[in-house]
């Protein structure tokens, strides 16, 4: 009986396989952004991949979508998000379901999260923990940057292992000593040397801890406790000082340093000079520095905008836009760090007890289009580079992600460039019951989002199945190690 069933079952499976046709979707007549070109094309999806970008009028797909008057963009890639992140006596409220849900609504089809090393943890175990957190929850594809907090010999020896595990980008903090996150420069150097040899990149939160600790303690004892003093305690010079130290580390080791969430104008100059010298130093900035200034911290609800580095002046914001436009800043991420209102309120009486962070995983593509492209600060091609192509390339996701080129995963956003709407707590899907992006007039709206060929967002409805998101094995395209 058993062998009879087995005999029957096998041919049936083969037949089923032969009969099942890979589903095709044709997105017709959209304005397609492919590299530097914006042209009217059709995009053919076959299964999980982009099969063709061309005029395909004779094609008979299973599903046809008319994108007349709409833009067709590669899905956004956000390489800086904090899910389930334990920080300042609280935990960020975006998990792999709520965080990737909000991401999908925001046109994001790949995220890279941070896995913090707790005392005694191996780096490999931090990746394993994230795989458990994502299991059955993630709606989009995701990866991990391990965060080194214990620079022991054992941790250093693990660096080649995590690179092989598909997590070749490690983050370290130069501040938050009291949180147990800070790494001394001598250890940063050892980490960077190991990463360079293993084909990895060091991401650095660059703020000078000594300056900040001194300022915070003198401000608190002088009774200066309002949110604006958060910004005053972390001045531009604290960031610049740390960036200079990072550049020195790149000079000494020949390793690649990526400055996360850069928010100073002098930082842009320092990095340009370092690159001109041949050093491998790159920087990103984040959405909130491009739309808010430190004036927000003077409001009665100023705790909403407490983040680190802090929001800066209008003139710094203008410089950041200029740096993005001309390429001195490589890309934009969200630095999504979503804390509950209850957690944020702990900073109402004194700024230094407010968890640093702004929920922003959903807003980046919309804000960058509206404030960037629509207001004439960025070209359409540059906007796509900043939110998708460059993050994919610098973080080892090319050629799988970050483009509409045939062969790439069919991660696609169909976008109405003319639609006008107001971004606020009600129109966003992020988990916290408050929003920093409140009452912002937006031009441009996401109509549909595809992830690996699946339609996951359709005109405001989420169709994604829980747990469909896959772990992203990443490999960096770095210059061969030199003999430094
Ligand atoms: Zn961050």
């Amino acid at each position: 009986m058993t062998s009879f069933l087995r005999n029957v079952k096998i041919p049936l499976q083969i037949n089923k396989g032969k009969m099942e046709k890979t589903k095709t979707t044709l997105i017709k007549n959209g304005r397609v952004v492919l590299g530097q070109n914006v042209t009217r094309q059709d995009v053919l999806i076959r299964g999980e991949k982009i099969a063709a970008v061309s005029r395909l009028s004779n094609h008979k797909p299973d599903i046809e979508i008319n994108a007349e008057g709409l833009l067709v963009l590669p899905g956004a890639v956000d390489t800086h998000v904090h899910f389930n992140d334990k920080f300042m006596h609280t935990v960020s409220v975006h998990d792999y379901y709520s965080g990737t849900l909000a991401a999908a609504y925001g046109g994001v089809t790949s995220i890279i999260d941070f896995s913090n090393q707790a005392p005694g943890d191996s780096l490999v175990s931090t990746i394993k923990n994230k795989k458990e957190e994502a299991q059955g929850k993630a709606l989009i594809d995701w990866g991990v940057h391990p965060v080194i907090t214990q620079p022991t010999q054992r941790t250093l020896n693990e660096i080649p292992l995590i690179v092989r595990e598909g997590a070749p980008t490690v983050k370290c903090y130069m501040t938050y000593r009291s949180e147990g996150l800070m790494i001394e420069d001598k250890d940063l150097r050892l980490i960077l040397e190991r990463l360079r040899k293993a084909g990895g990149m060091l991401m650095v939160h660059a703020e000078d801890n000594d300056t900040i600790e001194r300022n915070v303690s003198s401000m608190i004892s002088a009774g200066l406790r309002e949110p604006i003093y958060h910004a005053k305690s972390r001045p531009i010079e604290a960031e610049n000082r740390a960036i200079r130290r990072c550049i020195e580390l790149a000079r000494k080791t020949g390793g690649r340093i990526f400055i996360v969430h850069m928010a100073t104008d002098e930082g842009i100059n320092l990095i340009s000079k370092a690159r001109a010298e041949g050093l491998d130093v790159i920087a990103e900035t984040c959405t909130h520095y491009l739309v808010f200034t430190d004036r927000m911290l003077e409001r009665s609800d100023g705790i909403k905008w407490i983040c680190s580095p802090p929001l800066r002046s209008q003139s710094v914001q203008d410089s950041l836009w200029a740096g993005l436009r001309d390429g001195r800043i490589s890309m934009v991420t969200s630095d999504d760090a979503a804390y509950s209102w209850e957690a944020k309120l702990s900073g109402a009486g004194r700024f230094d007890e407010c968890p640093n962070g702004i929920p922003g995983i959903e807003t980046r593509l919309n804000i960058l289009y509206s404030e960037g492209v629509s207001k004439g600060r960025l070209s359409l091609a540059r906007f796509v580079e900043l939110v998708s192509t460059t993050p994919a390339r610098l973080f080892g996701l090319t050629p799988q992600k970050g483009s509409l080129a045939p062969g790439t995963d069919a991660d696609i956003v169909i976008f109405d460039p003319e639609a006008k709407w107001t971004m606020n707590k009600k129109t966003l899907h992020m988990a916290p019951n408050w929003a920093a992006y409140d009452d912002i007039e937006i031009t441009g709206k996401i109509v549909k989002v595809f992830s690996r060929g699946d339609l996951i967002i359709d005109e405001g409805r989420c169709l994604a199945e829980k747990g469909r998101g896959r772990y992203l094995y990443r490999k960096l395209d770095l210059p061969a190690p030199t003999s430094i």
Side-chain angles (χ1 to χ4, degrees):
M1 187 66 184
T2 314
S3 77
F4 169 71
L5 276 179
R6 201 161 50 221
N7 286 343
V8 172
K9 212 173 166 187
I10 292 164
L12 273 178
Q13 278 183 333
I14 291 168
N15 284 343
K16 193 176 164 226
K18 275 185 184 165
M19 281 159 63
E20 247 181 32
K21 192 171 143 293
T22 309
K23 193 174 84 177
T24 54
T25 303
L26 186 62
I27 303 168
K28 292 206 67 161
N29 300 321
R31 283 172 62 217
V32 174
V33 184
L34 185 53
Q36 293 306 304
N37 301 317
V38 184
T39 51
R40 203 176 146 105
Q41 300 281 8
D42 305 327
V43 177
L44 179 66
I45 303 171
R46 181 176 290 122
E48 297 194 343
K49 299 282 182 184
I50 295 172
V53 178
S54 170
R55 298 302 289 179
L56 298 161
S57 47
N58 294 325
H59 204 87
K60 294 278 169 287
D62 299 313
I63 299 166
E64 190 171 301
I65 292 165
N66 183 9
E68 183 80 48
L70 303 177
L71 293 172
V72 183
L73 314 169
V77 176
D78 193 343
T79 58
H80 191 152
V81 308
H82 299 269
F83 288 171
N84 300 318
D85 194 0
K86 292 193 190 82
F87 181 62
M88 293 179 79
H89 314 296
T90 187
V91 182
S92 63
V93 295
H94 276 155
D95 66 9
Y96 274 79
Y97 175 65
S98 62
T100 59
L101 176 76
Y105 272 110
V108 178
T109 48
S110 305
I111 57 112
I112 308 179
D113 182 21
F114 294 101
S115 60
N116 286 23
Q117 182 185 30
D121 275 0
S122 72
L123 297 180
V124 171
S125 75
T126 70
I127 302 173
K128 195 167 144 268
N129 294 344
K130 286 288 169 181
K131 286 182 177 169
E132 279 162 19
E133 287 176 26
Q135 181 75 29
K137 287 191 171 174
L139 304 181
I140 57 167
D141 295 344
W142 60 278
V144 177
H145 316 282
V147 177
I148 295 181
T149 64
Q150 320 288 315
T152 59
Q153 198 56 46
R154 179 184 155 207
T155 300
L156 292 171
N157 290 342
E158 268 198 291
I159 286 176
L161 290 179
I162 54 161
V163 172
R164 282 203 292 278
E165 286 283 319
T169 45
V170 164
K171 182 176 176 186
C172 291
Y173 291 85
M174 294 171 86
T175 185
Y176 297 135
R177 183 170 62 168
S178 57
E179 295 297 312
L181 293 171
M182 190 179 92
I183 301 290
E184 302 283 351
D185 287 15
K186 66 173 176 33
D187 293 320
L188 285 176
R189 180 172 176 171
L190 296 175
I191 293 165
L192 186 54
E193 277 167 354
R194 292 295 183 103
L195 279 166
R196 184 183 66 86
K197 285 185 191 138
M201 172 167 87
L202 179 62
M203 306 165 74
V204 182
H205 177 132
E207 283 188 298
D208 182 68
N209 193 71
D210 289 352
T211 310
I212 295 165
E213 273 188 3
R214 216 170 30 239
N215 288 344
V216 170
S217 98
S218 68
M219 282 171 186
I220 292 298
S221 41
L224 307 173
R225 301 178 176 202
E226 290 77 28
I228 188 64
Y229 291 101
H230 169 76
K232 292 186 192 294
S233 71
R234 312 177 86 96
I236 279 186
E237 193 41 48
E239 200 180 337
N240 293 339
R241 200 166 291 151
I243 292 171
R244 284 192 199 97
R245 283 157 50 199
C246 287
I247 291 169
E248 196 48 36
L249 286 165
R251 189 178 285 123
K252 281 183 180 143
T253 60
R256 175 172 288 186
I257 291 200
F258 185 94
I259 310 283
V260 294
H261 49 48
M262 192 173 70
T264 88
D265 38 7
E266 177 61 9
I268 304 174
N269 296 331
L270 291 169
I271 282 166
S272 301
K273 278 190 208 142
R275 292 186 66 76
E277 196 190 311
L279 305 180
D280 206 351
V281 187
I282 314 170
E284 68 176 14
T285 191
C286 301
T287 324
H288 37 277
Y289 304 114
L290 300 167
V291 67
F292 303 125
T293 66
D294 50 6
R295 300 283 304 270
M296 302 310 272
L297 294 164
E298 286 166 0
R299 290 172 39 148
S300 59
D301 56 351
I303 51 170
K304 287 180 182 170
W305 292 274
I306 286 187
C307 62
S308 295
L311 298 172
R312 307 292 192 193
S313 66
Q314 185 61 54
S315 105
V316 170
Q317 186 184 100
D318 294 342
S319 299
L320 294 174
W321 278 110
L324 289 172
R325 192 161 49 239
D326 64 23
R328 288 173 298 156
I329 304 176
S330 297
M331 51 184 261
V332 180
T333 58
S334 70
D335 193 6
D336 178 75
Y339 299 107
S340 70
W341 186 240
E342 293 65 39
K344 286 296 266 187
L345 269 180
S346 56
R350 48 184 284 179
F351 69 85
D352 61 326
E353 289 185 0
C354 183
N356 295 194
I358 296 179
I361 198 164
E362 189 178 354
T363 63
R364 183 177 58 125
L365 185 144
N366 277 121
I367 293 283
L368 262 281
Y369 184 86
S370 188
E371 293 292 312
V373 182
S374 173
K375 292 193 175 168
R377 289 159 158 153
L378 300 173
S379 71
L380 200 45
R382 182 66 185 145
F383 155 73
V384 167
E385 278 177 358
L386 293 172
V387 300
S388 179
T389 313
T390 304
R393 180 171 56 79
L394 291 178
F395 286 84
L397 292 171
T398 306
Q400 192 188 349
K401 305 288 187 188
S403 158
L404 294 177
T408 307
D409 282 358
D411 293 357
I412 300 171
V413 174
I414 302 182
F415 190 81
D416 179 350
E418 307 295 334
K420 307 241 186 242
W421 57 289
T422 305
M423 182 182 279
N424 58 38
K425 193 165 73 66
K426 283 190 194 131
T427 54
L428 291 168
H429 304 81
M430 294 186 286
N433 59 355
W434 62 279
Y437 295 87
D438 206 7
D439 282 325
I440 300 180
E441 298 305 318
I442 299 284
T443 301
K445 195 173 176 107
I446 292 163
V447 180
K448 291 181 198 291
V449 180
F450 291 86
S451 162
R452 278 184 283 103
D454 292 341
L455 180 61
I456 59 165
I457 298 290
D458 189 14
E459 306 199 15
R461 282 179 311 142
C462 181
L463 309 175
E465 207 176 290
K466 269 184 163 183
R468 64 172 295 289
R470 290 185 195 148
Y471 176 71
L472 291 165
Y473 282 88
R474 301 177 292 117
K475 188 172 185 305
L476 302 186
D477 183 12
L478 285 169
T482 59
S483 57
I484 288 176

